[in-house]
Amino acid sequence: MESTVPKWWKEATIYQIYPASFKDSNGDGLGDIPGIISKLDYLKALGVNVLWICPFYKSPQYDMGYDISDYQDVHAPYGTKADIDALISGVHERGMKVIFDLVVNHTSHEHAWFQESRSSKQSPKRDWYIWKPAKMVDGKRAPPNNWRSNFGGSVWQWDEHTQEYYLHYFAPQQPDLNWENPEVRKAVYATAVNYWLDKGVNGFRIDTVNMYSKWLDFPDADIVDPSTPWQPADKFYSNGPRLHEFLKEMHRECFGRYDVVSIGECPNTPNFHDVLPFVSTKEKELDMVIQFDLASMDHGGGELRLWHRDWSLRLFKAITEDAQKLAIPEHDGWCTTYLENHDQARSVSRFANDDPKYRVAGAKMLATYLLTLSGTPIIFQGEELGMVNMPPSWDVDKEYKDLNTIDYMVELRRMAGSDKGMLEKGIYGAQRTARDHGRTPIQWDDSSQAGFSTAKDTWMRVNDSYKEINAATEEKDANSVLAFYRQLLTLRQEYKELFIYGMFELHESEDDNTITYIKRNGDQNALVLLNFTNQDQSFVIPSTFKGQPELLLSNLPKAGKHVLRPYEARIYVNKGKRVVNGA
């Protein structure tokens, strides 16, 4: 079966870079491409081998570059096209690969295609986007349906010039392309995909990949909040009737012509059986997908998406087990694993404990989870340092920059009214789950602006934790989070038959405090034990573990016999290898 054949992207560890916050090379307070190039040796030494670069394209930056006005040009503050060429070369010279973000569900409203589309109803590119006439309700103009945009308000924006509405699943400055038009698809493939593949880019992380095909009847969503005309419509945003047809065509016209990887962002698709067609080798669509179930399980629903809700370790395990099924050979697919990205808060603050007493152990415990699962792991910048959320003392209205948070706060105040308790709980949600937390500048050292920039003011405030949490300090500490990531990444390759290709076997699924699983490949097996609490937890070696367990790695020194200490992680194997303890 083809899915059992090793591929370079199966044995990769991906490191995601958010350009604005990675490294500022010219002192303007904003990260840039030369800044990324200056840290390539750091990334090589970390042990990652694929870099995912978030959008650097020309953009008015309403949504931090996910609103692209020219797919073949560079946002000027980030650098030049020559800088991008130098980045690609620099990555390849170090034996690594690089993938870019592909954002083609929508463009910027400043893109030349949209400017022509909105110029008149007779424009040759009018149907390159989705336009609809107004609906009249009680003699007043109204949008075609009641769907709520992902960033608040209606998904329909009125255009005075041509007297019609256009569709935007996200911000009004991000009009959706009409993938029903074959000329649109042809233009996307040529200008946004193959242009970069011909330059040597090794693939793409594909934004909102399952939103291309629309439900063209645009039915009204169920009314779940009578206080607003705009209702959540997640079930209509994704997996439209022609989606798999479009993805097969894109593979045929683009990815299938090169030795590259395609990773699709796949929201609103929690069921294993619905995900499998995207990644099944025989279907020739995508190599793997990024799912949202684990990353969103502590988020509220409906209008208040950042509203915090309690999560259970049982659900955490169930989601993990379901995702791991994609890597089973008979399923003919592959999976990704991640805990952080540019759309998520910091995992130590969410799933472990950012109290200084527990932060290092918690970060290492989560790293053990991330890097011992089958599939391709994704590390988000700063995760390897154990970076944490912004402190609660920061003012949500002044320090948070993301338009998703801004929209959330507007909706929160509307719904809370004079209810101070609801307002406080809502703010707490943003303090736990807002995208802003993952976007603070990387903490390179303990100098001014954490070594990210020489500017007096940076585009986003540096987290107050930079004095204690920074790469320079961790480089000197053999027991740091950074050192632990490097060791784990080395072990992941040394034991790739277990940690990359091994079958996942969950134990103690009902336990609310620890995660226990075996990774198995033939007669070889590894046991992973993770304590998600700040209390000691007892454990037993599962009876299905084959052979004599030997401790391979622990995130705490002097491992006890049958007790996991707070946030302790251990890996046992059944073969004689050296013991790496306490690093």
Side-chain angles (χ1 to χ4, degrees), residues 558-580:
K558 299 178 181 178
K561 191 171 184 181
H562 295 296
V563 174
L564 295 174
R565 286 158 294 172
Y567 302 103
E568 185 172 5
R570 295 189 204 174
I571 305 173
Y572 290 91
V573 293
N574 68 331
K575 50 191 287 188
K577 290 282 183 177
R578 71 190 186 283
V579 175
V580 182

PDB file of all heavy atoms in Angstrom, residues 558-580:
ATOM      1  N   LYS A 558      15.355  11.763  38.560  1.00  0.00           N
ATOM      2  CA  LYS A 558      15.095  10.740  39.567  1.00  0.00           C
ATOM      3  C   LYS A 558      13.646  10.240  39.530  1.00  0.00           C
ATOM      4  O   LYS A 558      12.862  10.454  40.446  1.00  0.00           O
ATOM      5  CB  LYS A 558      15.426  11.254  40.972  1.00  0.00           C
ATOM      6  CG  LYS A 558      16.895  11.646  41.140  1.00  0.00           C
ATOM      7  CD  LYS A 558      17.172  12.188  42.526  1.00  0.00           C
ATOM      8  CE  LYS A 558      18.634  12.599  42.672  1.00  0.00           C
ATOM      9  NZ  LYS A 558      18.925  13.184  44.010  1.00  0.00           N
ATOM     10  N   ALA A 559      13.309   9.613  38.430  1.00  0.00           N
ATOM     11  CA  ALA A 559      11.945   9.111  38.255  1.00  0.00           C
ATOM     12  C   ALA A 559      11.586   8.099  39.338  1.00  0.00           C
ATOM     13  O   ALA A 559      12.369   7.207  39.658  1.00  0.00           O
ATOM     14  CB  ALA A 559      11.805   8.471  36.873  1.00  0.00           C
ATOM     15  N   GLY A 560      10.393   8.252  39.915  1.00  0.00           N
ATOM     16  CA  GLY A 560       9.910   7.303  40.913  1.00  0.00           C
ATOM     17  C   GLY A 560       9.425   6.034  40.258  1.00  0.00           C
ATOM     18  O   GLY A 560       9.271   5.955  39.040  1.00  0.00           O
ATOM     19  N   LYS A 561       9.152   5.026  41.088  1.00  0.00           N
ATOM     20  CA  LYS A 561       8.817   3.722  40.517  1.00  0.00           C
ATOM     21  C   LYS A 561       7.397   3.661  39.973  1.00  0.00           C
ATOM     22  O   LYS A 561       7.178   3.236  38.843  1.00  0.00           O
ATOM     23  CB  LYS A 561       9.023   2.630  41.569  1.00  0.00           C
ATOM     24  CG  LYS A 561       8.962   1.222  40.981  1.00  0.00           C
ATOM     25  CD  LYS A 561       9.392   0.176  41.997  1.00  0.00           C
ATOM     26  CE  LYS A 561       9.409  -1.203  41.348  1.00  0.00           C
ATOM     27  NZ  LYS A 561       9.804  -2.262  42.305  1.00  0.00           N
ATOM     28  N   HIS A 562       6.409   4.093  40.738  1.00  0.00           N
ATOM     29  CA  HIS A 562       5.019   3.947  40.302  1.00  0.00           C
ATOM     30  C   HIS A 562       4.221   5.242  40.448  1.00  0.00           C
ATOM     31  O   HIS A 562       2.995   5.207  40.482  1.00  0.00           O
ATOM     32  CB  HIS A 562       4.329   2.838  41.095  1.00  0.00           C
ATOM     33  CG  HIS A 562       4.895   1.489  40.853  1.00  0.00           C
ATOM     34  ND1 HIS A 562       4.849   0.876  39.622  1.00  0.00           N
ATOM     35  CD2 HIS A 562       5.553   0.628  41.677  1.00  0.00           C
ATOM     36  CE1 HIS A 562       5.438  -0.313  39.702  1.00  0.00           C
ATOM     37  NE2 HIS A 562       5.875  -0.478  40.932  1.00  0.00           N
ATOM     38  N   VAL A 563       4.904   6.367  40.540  1.00  0.00           N
ATOM     39  CA  VAL A 563       4.221   7.636  40.729  1.00  0.00           C
ATOM     40  C   VAL A 563       4.772   8.674  39.753  1.00  0.00           C
ATOM     41  O   VAL A 563       5.996   8.842  39.624  1.00  0.00           O
ATOM     42  CB  VAL A 563       4.382   8.164  42.172  1.00  0.00           C
ATOM     43  CG1 VAL A 563       3.779   9.555  42.321  1.00  0.00           C
ATOM     44  CG2 VAL A 563       3.719   7.204  43.155  1.00  0.00           C
ATOM     45  N   LEU A 564       3.864   9.350  39.064  1.00  0.00           N
ATOM     46  CA  LEU A 564       4.227  10.502  38.226  1.00  0.00           C
ATOM     47  C   LEU A 564       4.060  11.762  39.050  1.00  0.00           C
ATOM     48  O   LEU A 564       3.009  12.007  39.631  1.00  0.00           O
ATOM     49  CB  LEU A 564       3.318  10.583  36.995  1.00  0.00           C
ATOM     50  CG  LEU A 564       3.402   9.455  35.970  1.00  0.00           C
ATOM     51  CD1 LEU A 564       2.320   9.656  34.913  1.00  0.00           C
ATOM     52  CD2 LEU A 564       4.773   9.412  35.318  1.00  0.00           C
ATOM     53  N   ARG A 565       5.088  12.566  39.114  1.00  0.00           N
ATOM     54  CA  ARG A 565       4.996  13.838  39.820  1.00  0.00           C
ATOM     55  C   ARG A 565       4.263  14.869  38.975  1.00  0.00           C
ATOM     56  O   ARG A 565       3.974  14.623  37.793  1.00  0.00           O
ATOM     57  CB  ARG A 565       6.404  14.308  40.196  1.00  0.00           C
ATOM     58  CG  ARG A 565       7.013  13.518  41.354  1.00  0.00           C
ATOM     59  CD  ARG A 565       8.509  13.599  41.357  1.00  0.00           C
ATOM     60  NE  ARG A 565       9.079  12.939  40.193  1.00  0.00           N
ATOM     61  CZ  ARG A 565      10.376  12.995  39.884  1.00  0.00           C
ATOM     62  NH1 ARG A 565      11.215  13.678  40.640  1.00  0.00           N
ATOM     63  NH2 ARG A 565      10.825  12.364  38.821  1.00  0.00           N
ATOM     64  N   PRO A 566       3.933  16.048  39.521  1.00  0.00           N
ATOM     65  CA  PRO A 566       3.177  17.049  38.764  1.00  0.00           C
ATOM     66  C   PRO A 566       3.798  17.332  37.394  1.00  0.00           C
ATOM     67  O   PRO A 566       4.989  17.626  37.291  1.00  0.00           O
ATOM     68  CB  PRO A 566       3.217  18.276  39.669  1.00  0.00           C
ATOM     69  CG  PRO A 566       3.275  17.698  41.055  1.00  0.00           C
ATOM     70  CD  PRO A 566       4.143  16.477  40.923  1.00  0.00           C
ATOM     71  N   TYR A 567       2.987  17.163  36.351  1.00  0.00           N
ATOM     72  CA  TYR A 567       3.356  17.440  34.963  1.00  0.00           C
ATOM     73  C   TYR A 567       4.558  16.623  34.497  1.00  0.00           C
ATOM     74  O   TYR A 567       5.281  17.022  33.582  1.00  0.00           O
ATOM     75  CB  TYR A 567       3.578  18.947  34.745  1.00  0.00           C
ATOM     76  CG  TYR A 567       2.344  19.738  35.110  1.00  0.00           C
ATOM     77  CD1 TYR A 567       2.279  20.439  36.303  1.00  0.00           C
ATOM     78  CD2 TYR A 567       1.219  19.716  34.300  1.00  0.00           C
ATOM     79  CE1 TYR A 567       1.125  21.116  36.676  1.00  0.00           C
ATOM     80  CE2 TYR A 567       0.063  20.392  34.650  1.00  0.00           C
ATOM     81  CZ  TYR A 567       0.017  21.086  35.845  1.00  0.00           C
ATOM     82  OH  TYR A 567      -1.128  21.748  36.206  1.00  0.00           O
ATOM     83  N   GLU A 568       4.723  15.468  35.085  1.00  0.00           N
ATOM     84  CA  GLU A 568       5.826  14.604  34.659  1.00  0.00           C
ATOM     85  C   GLU A 568       5.452  13.862  33.381  1.00  0.00           C
ATOM     86  O   GLU A 568       4.292  13.503  33.148  1.00  0.00           O
ATOM     87  CB  GLU A 568       6.181  13.590  35.749  1.00  0.00           C
ATOM     88  CG  GLU A 568       7.402  12.745  35.390  1.00  0.00           C
ATOM     89  CD  GLU A 568       7.907  11.872  36.515  1.00  0.00           C
ATOM     90  OE1 GLU A 568       7.255  11.835  37.588  1.00  0.00           O
ATOM     91  OE2 GLU A 568       8.953  11.215  36.329  1.00  0.00           O
ATOM     92  N   ALA A 569       6.464  13.631  32.558  1.00  0.00           N
ATOM     93  CA  ALA A 569       6.325  12.838  31.335  1.00  0.00           C
ATOM     94  C   ALA A 569       7.435  11.801  31.316  1.00  0.00           C
ATOM     95  O   ALA A 569       8.581  12.097  31.662  1.00  0.00           O
ATOM     96  CB  ALA A 569       6.421  13.735  30.104  1.00  0.00           C
ATOM     97  N   ARG A 570       7.078  10.584  30.939  1.00  0.00           N
ATOM     98  CA  ARG A 570       8.078   9.537  30.800  1.00  0.00           C
ATOM     99  C   ARG A 570       7.834   8.751  29.522  1.00  0.00           C
ATOM    100  O   ARG A 570       6.695   8.569  29.085  1.00  0.00           O
ATOM    101  CB  ARG A 570       8.031   8.563  31.974  1.00  0.00           C
ATOM    102  CG  ARG A 570       8.392   9.160  33.301  1.00  0.00           C
ATOM    103  CD  ARG A 570       8.527   8.062  34.340  1.00  0.00           C
ATOM    104  NE  ARG A 570       8.308   8.582  35.677  1.00  0.00           N
ATOM    105  CZ  ARG A 570       8.244   7.832  36.771  1.00  0.00           C
ATOM    106  NH1 ARG A 570       8.375   6.524  36.662  1.00  0.00           N
ATOM    107  NH2 ARG A 570       8.036   8.382  37.950  1.00  0.00           N
ATOM    108  N   ILE A 571       8.949   8.249  28.978  1.00  0.00           N
ATOM    109  CA  ILE A 571       8.891   7.332  27.842  1.00  0.00           C
ATOM    110  C   ILE A 571       9.691   6.094  28.201  1.00  0.00           C
ATOM    111  O   ILE A 571      10.871   6.185  28.583  1.00  0.00           O
ATOM    112  CB  ILE A 571       9.480   7.962  26.559  1.00  0.00           C
ATOM    113  CG1 ILE A 571       8.806   9.288  26.228  1.00  0.00           C
ATOM    114  CG2 ILE A 571       9.334   6.981  25.388  1.00  0.00           C
ATOM    115  CD1 ILE A 571       9.460  10.031  25.068  1.00  0.00           C
ATOM    116  N   TYR A 572       9.053   4.939  28.100  1.00  0.00           N
ATOM    117  CA  TYR A 572       9.724   3.661  28.281  1.00  0.00           C
ATOM    118  C   TYR A 572       9.784   2.936  26.933  1.00  0.00           C
ATOM    119  O   TYR A 572       8.854   3.054  26.121  1.00  0.00           O
ATOM    120  CB  TYR A 572       8.969   2.776  29.269  1.00  0.00           C
ATOM    121  CG  TYR A 572       9.003   3.234  30.705  1.00  0.00           C
ATOM    122  CD1 TYR A 572       8.016   4.077  31.211  1.00  0.00           C
ATOM    123  CD2 TYR A 572      10.013   2.803  31.568  1.00  0.00           C
ATOM    124  CE1 TYR A 572       8.028   4.494  32.542  1.00  0.00           C
ATOM    125  CE2 TYR A 572      10.035   3.201  32.903  1.00  0.00           C
ATOM    126  CZ  TYR A 572       9.042   4.051  33.376  1.00  0.00           C
ATOM    127  OH  TYR A 572       9.061   4.453  34.688  1.00  0.00           O
ATOM    128  N   VAL A 573      10.854   2.189  26.714  1.00  0.00           N
ATOM    129  CA  VAL A 573      10.960   1.332  25.530  1.00  0.00           C
ATOM    130  C   VAL A 573      11.319  -0.077  25.983  1.00  0.00           C
ATOM    131  O   VAL A 573      11.738  -0.296  27.116  1.00  0.00           O
ATOM    132  CB  VAL A 573      12.010   1.847  24.526  1.00  0.00           C
ATOM    133  CG1 VAL A 573      11.576   3.170  23.907  1.00  0.00           C
ATOM    134  CG2 VAL A 573      13.379   1.988  25.188  1.00  0.00           C
ATOM    135  N   ASN A 574      11.191  -1.021  25.090  1.00  0.00           N
ATOM    136  CA  ASN A 574      11.466  -2.415  25.440  1.00  0.00           C
ATOM    137  C   ASN A 574      12.752  -2.916  24.803  1.00  0.00           C
ATOM    138  O   ASN A 574      12.908  -4.091  24.520  1.00  0.00           O
ATOM    139  CB  ASN A 574      10.297  -3.316  25.016  1.00  0.00           C
ATOM    140  CG  ASN A 574      10.173  -3.418  23.503  1.00  0.00           C
ATOM    141  OD1 ASN A 574      10.541  -2.498  22.773  1.00  0.00           O
ATOM    142  ND2 ASN A 574       9.645  -4.535  23.017  1.00  0.00           N
ATOM    143  N   LYS A 575      13.687  -2.006  24.580  1.00  0.00           N
ATOM    144  CA  LYS A 575      14.952  -2.425  23.997  1.00  0.00           C
ATOM    145  C   LYS A 575      16.072  -1.687  24.706  1.00  0.00           C
ATOM    146  O   LYS A 575      15.881  -0.578  25.202  1.00  0.00           O
ATOM    147  CB  LYS A 575      14.980  -2.166  22.494  1.00  0.00           C
ATOM    148  CG  LYS A 575      14.579  -0.768  22.095  1.00  0.00           C
ATOM    149  CD  LYS A 575      14.370  -0.630  20.603  1.00  0.00           C
ATOM    150  CE  LYS A 575      15.661  -0.640  19.834  1.00  0.00           C
ATOM    151  NZ  LYS A 575      15.462  -0.310  18.414  1.00  0.00           N
ATOM    152  N   GLY A 576      17.240  -2.276  24.777  1.00  0.00           N
ATOM    153  CA  GLY A 576      18.338  -1.689  25.528  1.00  0.00           C
ATOM    154  C   GLY A 576      18.926  -0.473  24.862  1.00  0.00           C
ATOM    155  O   GLY A 576      19.718  -0.580  23.917  1.00  0.00           O
ATOM    156  N   LYS A 577      18.543   0.689  25.331  1.00  0.00           N
ATOM    157  CA  LYS A 577      19.107   1.959  24.850  1.00  0.00           C
ATOM    158  C   LYS A 577      19.502   2.788  26.056  1.00  0.00           C
ATOM    159  O   LYS A 577      19.059   2.557  27.174  1.00  0.00           O
ATOM    160  CB  LYS A 577      18.075   2.714  24.010  1.00  0.00           C
ATOM    161  CG  LYS A 577      17.774   2.071  22.661  1.00  0.00           C
ATOM    162  CD  LYS A 577      18.869   2.375  21.655  1.00  0.00           C
ATOM    163  CE  LYS A 577      18.532   1.799  20.279  1.00  0.00           C
ATOM    164  NZ  LYS A 577      19.542   2.156  19.277  1.00  0.00           N
ATOM    165  N   ARG A 578      20.304   3.783  25.815  1.00  0.00           N
ATOM    166  CA  ARG A 578      20.733   4.621  26.929  1.00  0.00           C
ATOM    167  C   ARG A 578      19.538   5.324  27.562  1.00  0.00           C
ATOM    168  O   ARG A 578      18.523   5.576  26.909  1.00  0.00           O
ATOM    169  CB  ARG A 578      21.735   5.679  26.448  1.00  0.00           C
ATOM    170  CG  ARG A 578      21.103   6.763  25.587  1.00  0.00           C
ATOM    171  CD  ARG A 578      22.155   7.639  24.950  1.00  0.00           C
ATOM    172  NE  ARG A 578      21.550   8.748  24.253  1.00  0.00           N
ATOM    173  CZ  ARG A 578      20.969   8.660  23.066  1.00  0.00           C
ATOM    174  NH1 ARG A 578      20.869   7.487  22.478  1.00  0.00           N
ATOM    175  NH2 ARG A 578      20.469   9.732  22.477  1.00  0.00           N
ATOM    176  N   VAL A 579      19.641   5.682  28.819  1.00  0.00           N
ATOM    177  CA  VAL A 579      18.598   6.402  29.530  1.00  0.00           C
ATOM    178  C   VAL A 579      18.948   7.881  29.522  1.00  0.00           C
ATOM    179  O   VAL A 579      20.045   8.268  29.901  1.00  0.00           O
ATOM    180  CB  VAL A 579      18.465   5.902  30.988  1.00  0.00           C
ATOM    181  CG1 VAL A 579      17.465   6.757  31.745  1.00  0.00           C
ATOM    182  CG2 VAL A 579      18.032   4.449  30.996  1.00  0.00           C
ATOM    183  N   VAL A 580      18.015   8.695  29.053  1.00  0.00           N
ATOM    184  CA  VAL A 580      18.188  10.137  29.068  1.00  0.00           C
ATOM    185  C   VAL A 580      17.252  10.661  30.140  1.00  0.00           C
ATOM    186  O   VAL A 580      16.034  10.583  30.002  1.00  0.00           O
ATOM    187  CB  VAL A 580      17.838  10.769  27.702  1.00  0.00           C
ATOM    188  CG1 VAL A 580      18.073  12.261  27.730  1.00  0.00           C
ATOM    189  CG2 VAL A 580      18.677  10.122  26.607  1.00  0.00           C
TER     190      VAL A 580
END
